[in-house]
Amino acid sequence: MMQDWWKSAVVYQIYPRSFMDSDGDGIGDLRGIIGKLDYLQDLGIDVVWLSPVYDSPNDDNGYDIRDYRTIMEQFGTMEDFEQLLTQMHSRGLKLVMDLVVNHTSDEHPWFVQSRSSQDNPYRNYYFWRAGKNGHEPNNWLSYFSGSAWEYDSTTGEYYLHLFSRKQPDLNWDNPSVRQDVYDLMRFWLDKGIDGFRMDVINHISKVPGLPDGSHPNERGYAWGGDFFVNGPRVHEYLQEMNRQVLSHYNIMTVGETGGVSPADARLYAGFDRQELSMVFQFEHMGVDSGSGGKWDIKPWKLTDLKQVLSRWQQELHGVAWNSLYFGNHDQPRPVSRFGDDGAYRVESAKMLATCLMLQQGTPYIYQGEEIGMTNVAFPSIEDYRDVEILNFWRERVEQGGEDPEQVLHAIHVKGRDNARTPMQWSADDNAGFTTGKPWLEVNPNYREVNVAKAVADANSVYHYYQELIRLRRQYSSLVDARYDLILPDHEEIYAYTRSQAMEQWLVVCNFFAGQPEFILPAGISYEISELVLSNYPVTESAAVNQFTLRPYECRVYRMMRQA
Ligand code: GLC
């Protein structure tokens, strides 16, 4: 039996391009990360998940891989990578790599072969189809705007790309594709890495025939997710991967699985399933979107957020494992999205961390979250770099004639570059990230929000994260205890308990700037209670039953029932 070490671990995600630049070219790199290992160790995290560091033409910042066995030149060399791994291991830190195998770059040798002729042995590594009546083979939309098909004049056929046109989808129904993927996974696992985060892994099996999606838009395109999200053979493939590769190593795996329900997650990550350790679900990332998808912004309600997260807590308890996250390299900054990035930035960043990290599951901290980094609102589309943002702008403004101000506003609220501005290390030029010109401008608030300042300030978000991580380490009950939501209908307070044997945790979070009254529900009894953590000074003793919360205040009590 492999040990489930990842259940008590805290993961820190690094987006290498934006973390730390060691050579002044404006792009983060591996030596930059090596130089910050003290920082990561002091924070107290156990695992680093590295967004892709493989050779790539960077159409999607490394999520378009040209060579799975080579390090991206801008990031360094294989020697740098090996040094990073060795140094991490000698500090007791683990390293998880990003595995992007739903698609490759169009510059990957497999695709170069594949597109060269219809009878090339690699043709069937991808999805090639003839057009239909002068149109694409089906009506699927790409996640990055426009059709999911690109015409290729060499052979007069179209290839499928669910993401950018430089990210052709691999055909997992072809057994050679699967064996080649398993080989490259072994290549990294044999170097000693500690697991994989698997990019859009629930998209690898497509329904044969690739049927049209329903409800086409004005331009005739439709989301085809019914035919590739959690597709017909995905579990067969993951079980095969587990049998042939994963089960031979003591590693963790987390699948990025947009569009999964808790029932689906039990199939991907059920303790008895031999597939993945856990998945990233996206339901809570949808509470501020309307039916038009991510750019269709709507105000979010705390009751929705509570309902979603609680359902995941309940439905996975005892049978599968949750991942816990509010941010990553694709999402806006949590403190801007669910907290207050103005007057209560520090309080609300601490409150959000408390609410999330004391739930059951493995917490993920995205670089900068631990100092309360915020969204950015660049004045012009010229300031942006993300392919998703640029395609969205082209489609809506340049082709669609929509109001540029409105489109820019959506980008300010939801755009992925919010998370990708360089890590703010200090008040020095370019936030201490680079001595050159950063590939994406730093957030102008870096003189206020930065690591140097946070480390020097005992009341900072950073030191609060340290404490939360310490707490998780100190009390093993936080791994296994059952989660129960209390006050489900309260519109300002998110409160829950975690219970195991005689021990009960009470977590109370005020999500807004008001001052609501917390009243402990009658059913919860205890003999002793102790305030373990709060983001405000709390003087009154043993006031668990009833108290008034200050703006964005959170409190964590540990209570003991009498035997
Ligand atoms: C995942 C990644 C995202 C990337 C996409 C295509 O969603 O997190 O950054 O653009 O997959 O690889």
Side-chain angles (χ1 to χ4, degrees):
M1 264 300 280
M2 298 290 188
Q3 271 202 356
D4 294 342
W5 53 265
W6 36 267
K7 285 186 181 166
S8 56
V10 175
V11 183
Y12 185 92
Q13 183 192 353
I14 290 183
Y15 194 69
R17 202 172 188 77
S18 304
F19 191 63
M20 182 65 204
D21 175 21
S22 72
D23 60 5
D25 67 353
I27 295 170
D29 48 45
L30 297 179
R31 303 215 67 81
I33 300 172
I34 293 173
K36 295 297 182 186
L37 289 178
D38 280 347
Y39 171 74
L40 295 174
Q41 204 174 7
D42 287 348
L43 180 58
I45 53 105
D46 306 283
V47 181
V48 168
W49 149 29
L50 270 191
S51 275
V53 294
Y54 317 96
D55 174 49
S56 163
N58 284 307
D59 187 56
D60 189 18
N61 290 351
Y63 282 91
D64 49 321
I65 298 171
R66 184 165 49 200
D67 182 348
Y68 289 95
R69 290 175 172 80
T70 304
I71 297 293
M72 190 191 300
E73 227 177 278
Q74 296 168 328
F75 289 174
T77 63
M78 191 59 87
E79 288 70 56
D80 295 333
F81 175 82
E82 276 159 6
Q83 231 184 78
L84 174 65
L85 184 60
T86 312
Q87 291 204 22
M88 283 184 62
H89 281 170
S90 69
R91 291 163 186 263
L93 297 171
K94 294 186 188 295
L95 178 60
V96 164
M97 304 270 287
D98 220 306
L99 181 74
V100 188
V101 288
N102 171 69
H103 44 267
T104 66
S105 163
D106 66 338
E107 298 181 29
H108 191 288
W110 299 336
F111 190 77
V112 173
Q113 291 281 328
S114 186
R115 84 181 337 164
S116 67
S117 77
Q118 285 186 1
D119 51 17
N120 186 281
Y122 284 93
R123 187 67 169 179
N124 199 30
Y125 266 51
Y126 297 86
F127 292 92
W128 289 98
R129 296 288 185 275
K132 261 193 196 151
N133 316 316
H135 289 286
E136 294 90 356
N138 75 18
N139 70 0
W140 294 357
L141 274 169
S142 153
Y143 279 104
F144 293 162
S145 301
S147 171
W149 294 92
E150 181 75 5
Y151 180 73
D152 192 58
S153 58
T154 316
T155 54
E157 287 192 330
Y158 292 80
Y159 65 86
L160 177 69
H161 61 90
L162 294 180
F163 294 89
S164 94
R165 63 171 61 119
K166 284 184 69 63
Q167 293 168 300
D169 281 58
L170 280 167
N171 174 17
W172 275 67
D173 298 333
N174 179 345
S176 308
V177 167
R178 305 204 297 274
Q179 288 309 318
D180 277 345
V181 168
Y182 302 158
D183 274 353
L184 73 89
M185 292 174 71
R186 289 187 198 100
F187 173 84
W188 290 100
L189 290 165
D190 291 341
K191 284 191 185 288
I193 66 161
D194 303 289
F196 288 114
R197 174 266 186 188
M198 301 187 186
D199 194 70
V200 291
I201 198 67
N202 64 332
H203 287 46
I204 57 175
S205 167
K206 278 81 174 170
V207 169
L210 314 178
D212 276 334
S214 40
H215 313 298
N217 65 17
E218 332 69 74
R219 296 183 207 85
Y221 297 111
W223 190 65
D226 292 348
F227 307 111
F228 54 75
V229 174
N230 309 321
R233 298 179 70 184
V234 66
H235 295 292
E236 174 194 332
Y237 296 156
L238 288 175
Q239 285 175 12
E240 179 185 83
M241 178 197 285
N242 188 296
R243 230 178 13 255
Q244 296 195 20
V245 186
L246 305 175
S247 60
H248 302 274
Y249 303 86
N250 182 13
I251 55 173
M252 66 166 267
T253 51
V254 51
E256 187 207 19
T257 54
V260 292
S261 66
D264 298 321
R266 289 196 297 263
L267 298 179
Y268 286 106
F271 294 145
D272 58 351
R273 291 281 299 174
Q274 322 296 333
E275 293 191 23
L276 304 174
S277 313
M278 65 191 110
V279 296
F280 289 129
Q281 59 89 13
F282 280 75
E283 286 187 342
H284 65 311
M285 294 286 104
V287 296
D288 55 358
S289 304
S291 56
K294 106 173 229 180
W295 301 112
D296 177 11
I297 297 159
K298 73 164 201 209
W300 63 280
K301 292 212 301 260
L302 181 62
T303 43
D304 290 342
L305 186 69
K306 293 200 277 191
Q307 195 246 327
V308 168
L309 290 177
S310 301
R311 195 158 58 87
W312 278 87
Q313 288 288 302
Q314 239 117 40
E315 294 195 20
L316 265 48
H317 181 70
V319 290
W321 196 248
N322 268 295
S323 69
L324 307 171
Y325 76 96
F326 276 148
N328 62 37
H329 65 292
D330 294 329
Q331 299 294 334
R333 290 284 179 178
V335 70
S336 300
R337 189 179 195 178
F338 298 120
D340 173 354
D341 61 11
Y344 295 109
R345 185 184 66 83
V346 170
E347 289 81 358
S348 65
K350 292 176 181 176
M351 180 279 291
L352 288 170
T354 307
C355 177
L356 187 75
M357 288 177 62
L358 296 179
Q359 298 195 14
Q360 186 175 32
T362 299
Y364 290 73
I365 302 167
Y366 177 68
Q367 66 184 42
E369 202 173 320
E370 78 281 16
I371 55 166
M373 277 179 62
T374 69
N375 280 354
V376 73
F378 290 129
S380 153
I381 191 65
E382 309 291 321
D383 300 317
Y384 287 91
R385 298 287 172 270
D386 173 27
V387 61
E388 181 185 44
I389 292 177
L390 300 179
N391 285 359
F392 171 62
W393 177 270
R394 196 171 311 123
E395 179 176 281
R396 297 295 178 91
V397 177
E398 289 168 18
Q399 294 161 5
E402 286 183 30
D403 175 12
E405 283 309 309
Q406 237 169 317
V407 173
L408 198 59
H409 173 72
I411 292 169
H412 289 165
V413 176
K414 283 289 186 71
R416 304 196 299 182
D417 281 342
N418 280 309
R420 300 175 180 185
T421 59
M423 181 73 181
Q424 293 164 207
W425 292 107
S426 70
D428 297 341
D429 289 351
N430 296 317
F433 162 72
T434 182
T435 54
K437 182 171 165 42
W439 71 277
L440 174 68
E441 282 304 316
V442 299
N443 189 315
N445 67 11
Y446 71 92
R447 288 183 204 280
E448 174 62 23
V449 182
N450 64 62
V451 167
K453 202 170 161 186
V455 169
D457 171 7
N459 287 318
S460 67
V461 179
Y462 168 83
H463 287 294
Y464 192 90
Y465 267 84
Q466 273 187 326
E467 236 176 295
L468 265 174
I469 295 170
R470 226 176 285 141
L471 204 63
R472 286 184 55 99
R473 188 156 293 143
Q474 185 180 351
Y475 296 100
S476 59
S477 58
L478 288 171
V479 175
D480 292 316
R482 194 190 71 239
Y483 165 105
D484 289 288
L485 181 67
I486 56 177
L487 311 175
D489 301 322
H490 202 293
E491 290 177 358
E492 294 166 90
I493 299 177
Y494 188 156
Y496 61 87
T497 57
R498 299 281 312 277
S499 319
Q500 193 184 43
M502 293 291 105
E503 193 178 351
Q504 188 164 44
W505 294 81
L506 172 69
V507 180
V508 182
C509 297
N510 176 11
F511 262 71
F512 299 97
Q515 306 207 5
E517 190 78 359
F518 172 77
I519 300 173
L520 188 70
I524 300 174
S525 62
Y526 62 94
E527 292 290 326
I528 312 162
S529 81
E530 164 200 9
L531 180 81
V532 181
L533 191 65
S534 172
N535 59 349
Y536 278 85
V538 177
T539 43
E540 67 263 57
S541 57
V544 181
N545 286 317
Q546 185 164 359
F547 51 88
T548 304
L549 287 155
R550 287 158 283 188
Y552 297 95
E553 179 170 357
C554 61
R555 296 190 191 184
V556 179
Y557 289 96
R558 182 165 171 262
M559 314 192 298
M560 300 303 283
R561 281 179 283 210
Q562 206 153 60

